[in-house]
């Protein structure tokens, strides 16, 4: 059921409460019981919504997810609440009091903006999506700050707002869209819309080519607990600046325009930069902070002789460096009683699970193996997380 209206009635809300937390294995029994007293389509809709709410907990937290309404695409494509809150806080710091949220989806960003005290015009052309965003504003008590409008974003007048936020659709019938001009609406349209406002933010895929970033934009890559979530083009802030922001925190690394780090021999420590740092092409800035270099000119691993705490990379103490050889690795792990093996790879075609099956780790100890290249040669590095 795309129409949310039946779920917003007293009967629909009661059913949502009744099916909350239903395990997949119990759905048939629950549905059979509830259909004795309620219309079958409404019971099915309530159970479908319960499943979506369970999936949404990872992005929105239990308290909000259990009150909100979702569509399958909305759960998949909406911004994680922590990222949306960070962006809303930054807009607030920039003096923004009102935002035109174009391609608002189910309203995740609009919710974060409203909670920051910012008035929002939330626009989406899909009727079911717009209805869901409106229901969410009501459910979370934010309807006074969020106006939801069903419209084509290219036809909306945004001149009455301090800022514009655009989140173009980056999925099509065949999955993810990698060409920014194939976004809906295209990136070029979003950039033009951004330039009409005092401040603007465009949410784009983190894999966007750096050459696609306009010269008058600031580019920011954001990760949450080490997972890269998105890139944002900011207008009206610091043109030409490149940033990597790590959540929680936030901790932000601003690029200094450094040249590529030198390639050097393996030191005692290996540093794995955060994904946002890598996407932002700021590995050189981390290497400079650590007084380190690269193991290979094409691999984003930094090595150094000393251990220094940094939020922008995870440190490992390396005990062994071997040419790639599965038999030698298996013998070494058996000798050291390694039963818990973490496999990381960069610049290697070998899949971690495949390697685990071949070496069959057994024993009480743990180790981390890096499958990578050192000066162009396939190499295995063995170590463990360093105690900072």
């Amino acid at each position: 059921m795309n129409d949310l209206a039946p779920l917003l009635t007293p009967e629909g809300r009661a059913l949502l409460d009744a099916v909350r937390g239903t395990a997949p294995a119990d759905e048939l029994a629950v549905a059979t019981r509830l259909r004795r007293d309620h219309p079958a389509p409404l019971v099915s809709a309530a159970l479908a919504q319960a499943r979506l709410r369970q999936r949404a907990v990872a992005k929105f937290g239990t308290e909000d997810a259990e009150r909100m309404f979702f569509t399958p695409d909305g759960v998949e494509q909406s911004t994680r609440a922590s990222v949306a809150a960070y962006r809303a806080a930054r807009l607030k710091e920039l003096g923004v009091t009102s935002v035109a949220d174009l391609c608002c989806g189910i309203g995740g960003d609009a919710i974060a903006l409203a909670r920051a005290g910012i008035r929002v015009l939330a626009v989406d052309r899909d009727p079911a999506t717009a209805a869901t965003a409106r229901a969410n504003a009501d459910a979370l008590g934010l309807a006074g700050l969020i106006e939801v409008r069903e419209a084509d974003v290219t036809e909306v007048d945004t001149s009455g707002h301090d800022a514009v936020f655009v989140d173009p659709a980056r999925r099509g019938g065949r999955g993810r869209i990698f060409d920014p001009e194939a976004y809906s609406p295209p990136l070029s349209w979003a950039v033009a819309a951004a330039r009409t406002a005092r401040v603007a933010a465009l949410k784009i895929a983190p894999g966007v080519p750096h050459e696609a970033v306009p010269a008058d934009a600031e580019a920011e890559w954001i990760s949450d607990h080490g997972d890269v979530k998105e890139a944002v083009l900011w207008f009206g802030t610091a043109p030409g600046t490149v940033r990597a922001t790590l959540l929680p925190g936030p901790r932000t690394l601003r690029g200094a325009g450094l040249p590529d780090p030198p390639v050097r021999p393996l030191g005692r420590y290996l540093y794995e930069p955060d994904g946002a740092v890598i996407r932002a092409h700021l590995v050189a800035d981390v290497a400079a902070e650590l007084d380190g270099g690269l193991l290979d000119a094409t691999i984003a691993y930094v090595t150094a002789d000393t251990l220094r705490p940094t939020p922008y990379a995870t440190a490992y103490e390396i005990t062994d460096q071997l040419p790639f050889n599965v038999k030698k690795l298996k013998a070494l792990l058996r000798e050291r009683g390694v039963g818990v093996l973490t496999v990381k790879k960069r610049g290697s075609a070998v899949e971690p699970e495949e390697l685990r099956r071949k070496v069959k780790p057994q024993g009480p100890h743990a180790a981390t193996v890096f499958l990578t290249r050192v000066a162009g040669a396939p190499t295995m590095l063995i170590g463990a997380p360093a105690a900072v």
Side-chain angles (χ1 to χ4, degrees), residues 184-208:
S184 180
L187 181 60
S188 57
W189 179 89
V191 169
R195 288 172 175 154
T196 66
R198 179 175 69 82
V199 176
L202 310 183
K203 176 181 171 182
I204 56 177
V208 65

Side-chain angles (χ1 to χ4, degrees), residues 94-175:
L94 291 168
V96 170
T97 61
S98 63
V99 172
D101 178 2
L102 307 181
C103 309
C104 69
I106 62 169
D109 283 283
I111 289 165
L113 291 164
R115 283 176 167 168
I118 297 172
R119 183 169 54 86
V120 186
L121 169 63
V123 184
D124 203 285
R125 69 180 180 182
D126 179 69
T129 302
T132 304
R134 190 174 294 109
N136 286 334
D138 290 337
L140 299 180
L142 299 170
L145 284 170
I146 301 175
E147 175 195 347
V148 179
R149 187 179 302 175
E150 180 191 326
D152 185 328
V153 296
T154 64
E155 299 174 358
V156 174
D157 179 9
T158 62
S159 60
H161 300 271
D162 297 339
V164 167
F165 172 65
V166 189
D167 182 6
R170 295 179 300 282
R171 286 181 179 273
R174 298 183 178 180

